[in-house]
């Protein structure tokens, strides 16, 4: 149930910001969501399956960017959490 709630919040924020504020195309937002949740390979496969050929490379790049950001965040957050756990 917790994962479903996370995905729901992710999708609502993505659509709200993407469609409401940035006026992006729905297909691009669906693909960005897939890249962030499933990774670059699933996003590229989705773009290929839907025949969105111009979105395959951006899907890969957004997914890899998500990996890079998550890695940097976890490496910086890990020591903080370790110190809190030691208390």
């Amino acid at each position: 149930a917790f994962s479903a709630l996370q995905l729901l919040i992710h999708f609502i924020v993505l659509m709200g910001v993407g469609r409401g504020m940035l006026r992006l195309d729905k297909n691009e937002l669906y693909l960005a969501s897939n890249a962030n949740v499933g990774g670059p390979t699933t996003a590229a496969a989705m773009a290929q399956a839907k025949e969105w050929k111009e979105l395959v490379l951006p899907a890969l790049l957004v997914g890899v960017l998500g990996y890079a950001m998550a890695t940097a965040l976890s490496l910086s957050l890990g020591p903080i959490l370790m110190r809190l756990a030691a208390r």
Side-chain angles (χ1 to χ4, degrees):
F2 180 70
S3 293
L5 181 64
Q6 282 181 313
L7 288 174
L8 180 66
I9 291 170
H10 160 81
F11 192 74
I12 289 171
V13 169
L14 184 78
M15 287 296 145
V17 172
R19 292 289 288 170
M21 293 173 58
L22 301 176
R23 306 275 188 234
L24 295 174
D25 184 43
K26 276 193 240 182
N27 294 344
E28 294 171 348
L29 294 173
Y30 296 150
L31 205 54
S33 176
N34 187 334
N36 285 298
V37 173
T41 52
T42 60
M46 178 182 168
Q48 201 63 20
K50 297 281 190 179
E51 297 182 359
W52 301 333
K53 304 218 182 292
E54 68 281 355
L55 295 177
V56 174
L57 182 59
L60 287 169
L61 293 174
V62 167
V64 171
L65 177 65
Y67 282 165
M69 289 173 58
T71 300
L73 182 65
S74 64
L75 288 174
S76 62
L77 190 60
I80 296 169
L81 294 176
M82 293 295 286
R83 279 194 295 260
L84 288 175
R87 287 184 180 184

